[in-house]
Structures are given as structure tokens and as C-alpha cells.
Amino acid sequence: MERVTLACGNGASENNALIQRVFFKHFENQILIQGNDSAILPSLSKMAFSTDSYTISPLFFAGGDIGKLSICGTCNDLTMMGARPKYLSASFIIEEGFELKQLEKIAQSMAEECRKNGVLIVTGDTKVVGRGHADGIYINTAGIGEVIYEGLNPQSLQHGDVIIVSNSIGKHGASIFSQREGIDLVSHLYSDCASLFPLVQTLFQSNLTLRALRDATRGGLAAVLNEWARSSQTCICIDEKQVPISDEVQGICEFLGLEAYALANEGTFVLALPKSDALRALEILHSHPLGKEAQIIGEVGGEYKQRVILDSGYGTRRFLDMPSGEILPRIC
Amino acid sequence: MCLSIPSQVVSIDEKNNTCIVDTMGTQREASLDIFKEKIEIGDYVLIHIGYVMNKISKEHAQESLELYQQMVEAIQREDEDA
Amino acid sequence: MKMLELKQLYQGFRDPKSILAWSEKIKQEAKDLKCKIRVMEVCGGHTHSIMKYGINQLIEEVFEFIHGPGCPVCIMPKNRINHAVLLAQEENVILATLGDMIRIPSSKGSLSDARSKGADVRFVYSPLDLLKIAKENPNKTVIYFAIGFETTTPMSAALLERVEREGIKNILFHINHVLVPPPMEAILQNQDVHIDAFIAPSHVSVIAGSKIYEPFVSKYRIPTVVAGFEPVDLLEGLWMIVQQVKHREARLENQYKRSVSFEGNLLAQEKIEHYFELRESFMWRGIGEIPYSALRLKEKFAQYDAERVYDLPYEVVKEPKGCICPQIISGVAKPLSCKLFGIVCKPTSPIGSCMVSSEGVCNAYFRYGNLL
């Protein structure tokens, strides 16, 4: 078998072969291989539960692939709510004719990312649709995590709290954009796609007071800050000079007339915490490879409630708006 | 209107009348179809929707930047004197 | 002389210290002026820079900015956008255009709506991408909905040259190229608009040269400075205007010498001349019909002209009720005086064209705010 056929999704022998050959092989664990209708799990005290579906073009990109993304994404969502990722489900919608070799590569990256998070895939599903009815492969993952740090909530943001970003921004969005057909940019930029639990766990264990965490995925830094300003009824003021943006991201933004604030990240989060704990948090972040570029970028406070303000540092200010619509290159 | 981007020429393909330009580590092919001046590797050019529009004068750019630098220094001196 | 690094061409002209130095200098120079200088930045790119970098906040006491008609998306009359939608809905047609154009609403919906209903609409980064699309789809007609001022026009000419040379049969053009000087003149003739000086679009002049402004600077005796798009460029250009106003001069000056010459790019001009001719008149959204303000393909290239190949209607489409884009584009009103602004008309649900494009003045006001 070299390619996925419609028969692979019909529940019969071909379906079993695919599951055995690809998914059980890579995701193997005691719960999954029982192959029951549902997974029976030991109970956890307080749980976080999250789901997300993944579609991306190209499927394999600099810095990751759809498989890695599907594990990072859901595990990061659990992590951001103070949970340790424990169990995942994985569902695949595969286009007829999809190469098995590619599917294996995807499964491998999923397995590797599961190991990094210490998470198990305990249940799953595969469907195959006719050629042209899907763009290669779509993956849905849902996850359960055990809450190990309680009380994270953007509504608790207070005047004077400090905002930290864990990484330079826009790497995922810029690199995916540059690899799109028709854009044809050549860049050495990698997506920041990464599992954040190992890094964030060190923050949870540090006795710091954390108010809110959010990974800056679609909509980028701009979306997170605007959502926080709205839900906490505060104004967030960002010092433009302090926002870390790499040269590569800036270069792509120049080419396309975009701003890094609205570009997606897949391994970068925003943190709000009391000023007294900020430097200590920064130290912890800097000591981990995923947090090397972390920066304090601003604080909660200002006269425009529910808005985000960018301060240029030379006496001018502007709003940072909630990103909207399809991101299109500026031509004019 | 008309977003145009300063870039540096890194290679030239005379057969297809194109060149590769670089902006802070990102590269793209650009057409030389509307540009007839002599172009060399290392030149700075303005790119608009995939075409080289012109060569950026390094002399003029340098002149401007030096003028700005002098202005900034003059202001700093005034501040120190004050 | 030190080696100039590419990065300095960006950062050097965005340097906060230089921004402050120029704005101080402008304020100093303008101390004795009795009233604010009303300057029109013609170009949407300048509007974008002014709002993004907060230039208006820095020199508020010296300048009042009147935002001009230089956003090719904003000035496109609905009739032309309807053409695009009709063409996209034709059988076996792929319609390609640049950036924001696909979002502009019209009476037949936007190109983006047409796409969601099944039309093959593509945004391209470069007109050159059409060559590839045409080769990959030999049984379809690929139509380039060409927009833009002088800056973007030679690229359409260069594409047509390739199409001719390579004998490609399935690329057509719908030409909406417009010129900068005619609307500037039209605005000066409008009794309701009072303008003391112009900041002229510089990338237009990279192609067309600064010479295009000379006839009307001498005719209307109005200070005009061709300035670059970076904040320091703009401020230096504004300083030049202050100098002229102070000394009661009305000259054409070029701040953007590193890229703009008096003559411009002659090869690009030749190509434009070869393929295009002036339209007798073109309808500008907001300003109305302006004679000799736009281009079309010459008769001998009719076979490539979608307007001649397809039967496209000419209809005057009314503006949405309450929308004051027309007044905004012609410099009579500002976004904040529109009743729809920010309430029903937002970037997510634009009513007027000025809210759609990131060049559009309403969009810039909404996104960046007017934080004085």
C-alpha cells in the first residue's frame, strides 16, 4: 500500500491495516492499543479540556508540519490554562490518494511532540474522502490536561501589571506566508511551532503570581492583547521598541506590507503578571531555549479602556487594532 | 500608493532578464523588464510588485543620513549645554 | 565614506532621534506663521505613514493634513468593480488582481463574495504570476484586473509585452490605470477645498519623474514637494514646505533624491507610451469625471482588452446612503465627520471604499486612531 484509498476509511480490513501500520505503530500505549470504542482513563482532580482542528498549506513547512502543529496546538491550549497535558484524541480526514509515506512522517512528528509533552494519544478516528474533497489531510485533536496552576484568567488583569512576550513575534505567520504559492519568497525563517509545556511548567513551579497566559496563534500578539483589554476592561500600553521582531520576519513584512503584530505564532505566548514578579519571570524564561528572546513589552494602564495602545517612544501613540479579515499583501 | 521595497541585488540572470534581490535575509526574484540601466551585484534597488523600478543612489542616501546624524548631534550638544 | 548597509535604508529613515530632530526643526521654523499650513498628502501610502508613525501628532500645531485621492482602490468607481465581478462570473475565466481590490464592495458584491460563490478570483503578488496561471490553465481565459497609478502601470505594459512575445493567447487585461496630476488639478479647482501645499507621491515619480508636477506647480503656484514614504522622509519634505511658505515661494522640490529624478524611468515611460493611450474621461469615485485622467489599451491591442472583448455595461452606481467617501476622497471632509464611521462602517464590514484598503484614510483612522 503506497497511498490511502477510499477503502482505508470504511471500517474494514484496509482500515485496520492503516491504523495498525501507521497510527498504532507510532502512537502505541496501553490505552490506545486496546482499540475499544472509547478510552477509559483514570480520574484527575481538576481537568482542562480543549479541541482544535488543523488545516494548513503547505502541510510540511520550515520548522514543522501539520502533525507537529496538531499536537503543539492542543497541548499549548491546555498549558495556557495552567494544565499539564495528559491525554489526546486524534482524528484524521484524509484525501483519497494521499501518500502513505507522508502520513507516516506526519504520525512520526505527532509521536515525537507527544513525548515532549508527556501526553498520550488514547483514542482516534480516520475518515477518507474522495479526491478533491479535502486538501491532503485535516487533523483534529482534543486534549485533557490536569490543572496544576489555578486561577489564570485575563479578567484578573490589574493596573500596573506587566506584559511579557516569550519569543520574537510573527515567525509562524511570516514563514508560512513566504512559502505560499505565488508569493515565492525564499527565507531562512522557521516557524516557531513548539510545545510550550516544558517551558511554562518552570513558571508554574516558581511561586510567581501569574494573571494570564495565552499563546499568540491566529491574530498574533494583536489579537491576544485586544482580547485581554476587552475582557479585563483595561487599557494595555505597549512600548513598540521593546517588542522583539527578528530581521527575517521584518524582511518578509517589508516585502508584503504587513505588520508582525497580526501574524500567527505557534510557540510564543503572552504573559501578564504583577510588576514585582516580572524580572524573575523573565529570568526563568531566558534560561530555557524557547524563551531566550522573551521581553517585557508593556503594562496594563492608560486612558482608553478596552483598547491597546502602541507607544512609539518618540512622543506618538496609536491604537493596535484587533486584526480582521484575510491577510493580504499590501501593494500600495 | 505603491508600496516599493529597498532591496539588494544578489544575483543577475541575463538570459531571463531577472535578478534575485534580498531584503533582510528574505529573497525573491524580480524582473528587469522595465529597467535598462546597468545593474551590478550589491546595488540597491526599489522593487514594486515583482519588478525592479530603479537603482537607489547610495550617495544621496548616505548624504541624507549624514545630515540627519549631524542634526541629532547638534540637538544633543544643545541639550548638554543647557 | 562608510559602507551603506541595506538596513540603514529602512532604519535610518525611521530613526526616532531623527524624527524628533525634524519635528523640532519644523516647529522652530514655523513659529512665526500665523495659521496652520493645510497640506494635502496626495498618496494613500503617505496617509498610511502619517497615521502609523503619528506624524500628525508630532507637528499638529504646524500642519493640518488633508488626505488626498491617491489610493487606487479607494477611487475606483463601483461601475469598474462591477466589471470585475461580471468578468469573474464569466464561464472559464480566472480573474486575477492585486491585494485589497478583492475586498471592495460594489452593487454586485465584492470579488471576494464572487469567489465564495464559486468564481475563480485570485490575488497575485506580481502581474508576472499571470504567465504561470495562464500556462497552467490553457483552457481558461485569465484576466488581469489592472489597478494603480503611474507606479504600477509599466508592469502591466511589461506583462503585455511578454504575452505578445511568447504568443500567449489566454491573457486579457481590464485596465484601470489612473494618473496623479489630473485629480490634483481637479481638487484645486474645487471651491470647497482649500490647500496650501502638496506632498506629492514619490514612487509615482520614480517611474514618471518629478517633471509631471511641474506644469501645474507653475500654473497654480502651489508649493509641491516629492517626498519619500518613511517618516523621516516625510518630515524633511514637510520642512521644505514650511521653508517655501515662509519665503512665499511656490516651487517643485524633490526630497527623495535617492530614488526620484526629474526625468524618471524612461524605459518604463516608453513601454507605457507604446501600449496605452489617454481615455477622454474617467469617473473617479468621489471626484467625478476627470478628463484625460486614466489610460486604456490602444486600439491596435484590442484583442487583449477585456473591455473590448466582453460586452460590459456602463452604469452609474449610487454611493451607499450616508457614506461620505466621495467628500473624503476629494479633501472636503474627514473620516470622523462621517456618521457611519466606526459604527456600521468598519474594516470588518466596510460600507465605503476608504474603509477597505489599508491605504484608505478611514481604515487608517480606524486602525491607528487619532490619538492627539
Side-chain angles (χ1 to χ4, degrees):
Chain A
M1 193 161 65
E2 278 182 8
R3 289 177 184 275
V4 178
T5 62
L6 278 175
C8 294
N10 67 0
S13 57
E14 290 90 341
N15 188 197
N16 269 327
L18 181 74
I19 292 171
Q20 293 285 348
R21 203 180 132 180
V22 181
F23 299 128
F24 278 16
K25 178 173 149 200
H26 292 289
F27 304 158
E28 183 177 346
N29 61 67
Q30 287 308 316
I31 307 174
L32 180 70
I33 56 168
Q34 291 173 20
N36 288 328
D37 280 351
S38 57
I40 305 294
L41 308 173
S43 67
L44 304 170
S45 54
K46 200 165 202 177
M47 297 186 297
F49 179 43
S50 182
T51 183
D52 208 342
S53 298
Y54 299 86
T55 67
I56 189 165
S57 174
L59 294 173
F60 298 87
F61 48 88
D65 58 45
I66 188 169
K68 180 180 181 185
L69 188 65
S70 72
I71 304 298
C72 293
T74 298
C75 288
N76 288 348
D77 284 347
L78 294 169
T79 303
M80 292 300 119
M81 290 309 292
R84 174 198 301 279
K86 297 284 283 185
Y87 306 107
L88 293 180
S89 71
S91 295
F92 300 84
I93 292 176
I94 308 173
E95 185 184 4
E96 175 187 18
F98 195 69
E99 262 187 75
L100 215 61
K101 243 201 266 165
Q102 297 209 349
L103 187 63
E104 276 226 63
K105 251 173 96 178
I106 290 168
Q108 264 169 14
S109 4
M110 292 174 78
E112 193 185 320
E113 222 47 41
C114 284
R115 277 192 291 278
K116 285 187 194 158
N117 282 283
V119 71
L120 301 176
I121 294 177
V122 292
T123 183
D125 180 52
T126 312
K127 293 280 186 301
V128 181
V129 297
R131 201 178 261 282
H133 291 271
D135 187 9
I137 184 169
Y138 303 142
I139 303 176
N140 169 278
T141 56
I144 294 174
E146 181 178 17
V147 175
I148 57 171
Y149 188 100
E150 287 194 42
L152 290 169
N153 182 354
Q155 287 178 13
S156 67
L157 258 60
Q158 288 171 24
H159 196 89
D161 281 354
V162 165
I163 308 286
I164 292 178
V165 66
S166 70
N167 198 341
S168 71
I169 60 168
K171 288 194 283 242
H172 180 75
S175 96
I176 295 294
F177 223 112
S178 69
Q179 292 169 66
R180 267 211 214 155
E181 202 187 320
I183 301 289
D184 299 325
L185 297 177
V186 178
S187 164
H188 300 296
L189 184 66
Y190 285 87
S191 162
D192 59 335
C193 182
S195 292
L196 292 167
F197 182 73
L199 165 62
V200 175
Q201 187 181 19
T202 57
L203 288 173
F204 293 154
Q205 291 163 347
S206 63
N207 286 325
L208 297 174
T209 302
L210 311 175
R211 301 249 203 256
L213 283 171
R214 178 81 52 90
D215 54 341
T217 53
R218 259 180 314 177
L221 180 65
V224 174
L225 295 174
N226 272 288
E227 280 163 22
W228 283 4
R230 275 181 211 171
S231 65
S232 62
Q233 303 279 321
T234 59
C235 175
I236 296 177
C237 192
I238 299 298
D239 183 350
E240 229 179 329
K241 296 190 306 299
Q242 299 304 321
V243 180
I245 300 172
S246 69
D247 277 359
E248 288 83 1
V249 169
Q250 192 57 41
I252 291 172
C253 285
E254 297 295 346
F255 259 110
L256 303 172
L258 305 174
E259 281 202 285
Y261 300 108
L263 293 177
N265 307 274
E266 288 295 344
T268 299
F269 64 91
V270 192
L271 162 66
L273 79 180
K275 200 177 236 156
S276 52
D277 284 349
L279 288 174
R280 176 90 189 92
L282 206 57
E283 245 172 62
I284 293 171
L285 290 170
H286 285 164
S287 65
H288 192 282
L290 292 177
K292 281 238 157 351
E293 298 179 281
Q295 282 267 29
I296 293 176
I297 57 167
E299 58 181 58
V300 179
E303 68 269 45
Y304 297 92
K305 279 214 166 57
Q306 303 191 48
R307 298 294 308 250
V308 181
I309 292 175
L310 283 178
D311 192 319
S312 68
Y314 50 79
T316 70
R317 297 184 305 163
R318 62 175 165 119
F319 287 131
L320 177 63
D321 195 37
M322 189 77 174
S324 62
E326 175 185 6
I327 298 182
L328 293 170
R330 236 180 98 201
I331 46 132
C332 314
Chain B
M1 64 162 282
C2 318
L3 185 75
S4 309
I5 312 126
S7 297
Q8 185 164 33
V9 177
V10 292
S11 68
I12 299 164
D13 175 350
E14 279 177 26
K15 192 174 137 254
N16 292 311
N17 204 30
T18 59
C19 62
I20 303 286
V21 296
D22 181 291
T23 298
M24 295 185 218
T26 298
Q27 303 195 338
R28 195 188 197 280
E29 188 181 70
S31 168
L32 291 166
D33 281 358
I34 59 160
F35 187 76
K36 71 173 166 192
E37 275 173 66
K38 191 167 161 38
I39 195 170
E40 282 169 18
I41 290 169
D43 280 345
Y44 295 149
V45 291
L46 265 187
I47 305 294
H48 177 58
I49 57 172
Y51 288 81
V52 171
M53 295 166 77
N54 76 332
K55 200 145 93 179
I56 300 172
S57 153
K58 289 183 187 173
E59 291 69 33
H60 277 124
Q62 192 81 276
E63 222 171 83
S64 298
L65 291 172
E66 274 164 22
L67 167 72
Y68 305 157
Q69 190 56 36
Q70 286 164 13
M71 283 170 56
V72 169
E73 280 164 16
I75 287 180
Q76 276 165 352
R77 270 197 305 277
E78 272 170 37
D79 288 350
E80 278 162 24
D81 292 347
Chain C
M1 208 198 277
K2 277 184 301 178
M3 264 289 284
L4 178 74
E5 282 176 45
L6 179 72
K7 224 172 158 181
Q8 287 173 272
L9 289 178
Y10 290 93
Q11 287 172 356
F13 295 92
R14 293 175 191 170
D15 171 47
K17 285 191 186 124
S18 306
I19 290 176
L20 283 175
W22 275 116
S23 37
E24 281 315 307
K25 210 168 152 167
I26 287 172
K27 282 187 266 190
Q28 277 295 324
E29 288 289 328
K31 258 197 331 256
D32 302 328
L33 293 179
K34 292 209 170 54
C35 47
K36 281 193 192 185
I37 302 171
R38 292 173 56 94
V39 62
M40 173 174 274
E41 86 282 3
V42 178
C43 175
H46 278 139
T47 308
H48 189 94
S49 289
I50 288 167
M51 300 304 289
K52 178 173 166 181
Y53 293 99
I55 307 280
N56 53 339
Q57 302 169 39
L58 288 171
I59 45 172
E60 186 214 354
E61 60 261 52
V62 182
F63 283 101
E64 181 181 350
F65 290 96
I66 319 284
H67 314 297
C71 158
V73 172
C74 307
I75 57 91
M76 195 60 62
K78 291 195 158 189
N79 173 47
R80 307 292 295 179
I81 304 162
N82 282 350
H83 282 187
V85 173
L86 288 171
L87 289 171
Q89 287 165 342
E90 286 279 337
E91 221 153 285
N92 284 322
V93 160
I94 298 172
L95 188 108
T97 190
L98 303 169
D100 282 332
M101 200 61 224
I102 76 169
R103 280 199 281 242
I104 297 271
S106 189
S107 61
K108 299 195 180 345
S110 66
L111 283 171
S112 167
D113 296 334
R115 185 176 62 181
S116 66
K117 286 180 199 146
D120 195 344
V121 176
R122 307 191 187 181
F123 82 81
V124 289
Y125 176 79
S126 166
L128 284 168
D129 298 342
L130 269 93
L131 296 172
K132 196 168 159 239
I133 298 175
K135 279 172 199 156
E136 285 170 359
N137 298 277
N139 300 323
K140 297 202 169 173
T141 303
V142 187
I143 302 178
Y144 180 46
F145 188 74
I147 57 165
F149 288 87
E150 288 88 336
T151 325
T152 313
T153 311
M155 291 75 178
S156 298
L159 174 64
L160 179 47
E161 190 180 46
R162 290 246 163 198
V163 166
E164 275 196 298
R165 200 189 316 148
E166 296 179 25
I168 297 168
K169 297 279 176 258
N170 61 333
I171 293 184
L172 296 182
F173 294 75
H174 187 279
I175 297 295
N176 301 279
H177 288 305
V178 283
L179 305 173
V180 164
M184 288 168 79
E185 261 199 271
I187 285 166
L188 284 177
Q189 283 164 358
N190 181 345
Q191 301 295 326
D192 297 333
V193 192
H194 170 69
I195 294 168
D196 301 316
F198 281 116
I199 287 284
S202 50
H203 288 154
V204 159
S205 289
V206 170
I207 297 297
S210 60
K211 63 186 175 195
I212 55 169
Y213 307 112
E214 201 162 72
F216 98 64
V217 171
S218 45
K219 182 170 167 194
Y220 293 93
R221 299 219 13 96
I222 183 158
T224 300
V225 175
V226 178
F229 288 91
E230 297 297 348
V232 178
D233 287 321
L234 252 169
L235 284 162
E236 186 178 6
L238 290 164
W239 176 80
M240 289 169 153
I241 285 178
V242 174
Q243 293 297 315
Q244 289 199 37
V245 171
K246 258 179 83 169
H247 298 108
R248 297 181 183 281
E249 291 173 331
R251 287 183 292 121
L252 172 63
E253 275 187 289
N254 178 12
Q255 177 275 334
Y256 198 48
K257 289 209 180 71
R258 64 184 184 277
S259 283
V260 167
S261 64
F262 183 74
E263 288 299 335
N265 179 335
L266 295 174
L267 179 65
Q269 293 169 29
E270 267 169 39
K271 287 193 200 290
I272 295 174
E273 199 116 313
H274 181 73
Y275 289 104
F276 297 109
E277 63 186 10
L278 285 170
R279 288 176 196 265
E280 284 73 33
S281 184
F282 190 78
M283 171 69 122
W284 289 60
R285 194 167 187 177
I287 303 174
E289 292 281 344
I290 305 179
Y292 304 109
S293 62
L295 301 173
R296 68 166 165 239
L297 284 173
K298 286 182 179 167
E299 179 74 43
K300 61 177 165 184
F301 306 108
Q303 55 177 319
Y304 299 105
D305 190 345
E307 277 185 82
R308 289 165 165 126
V309 173
Y310 291 89
D311 185 24
L312 297 167
Y314 183 88
E315 48 187 331
V316 179
V317 187
K318 278 204 197 109
E319 293 295 330
K321 218 173 157 201
C323 171
I324 62 164
C325 276
Q327 290 91 312
I328 292 171
I329 291 166
S330 53
V332 181
K334 290 199 182 171
L336 297 179
S337 43
C338 179
K339 288 193 183 77
L340 309 182
F341 178 84
I343 299 166
V344 287
C345 186
K346 299 176 182 182
T348 41
S349 55
I351 307 268
S353 55
C354 300
M355 189 58 95
V356 177
S357 169
S358 53
E359 301 287 283
V361 55
C362 294
N363 186 293
Y365 268 63
F366 188 91
R367 276 151 50 115
Y368 299 139
N370 204 14
L371 297 176
L372 285 176

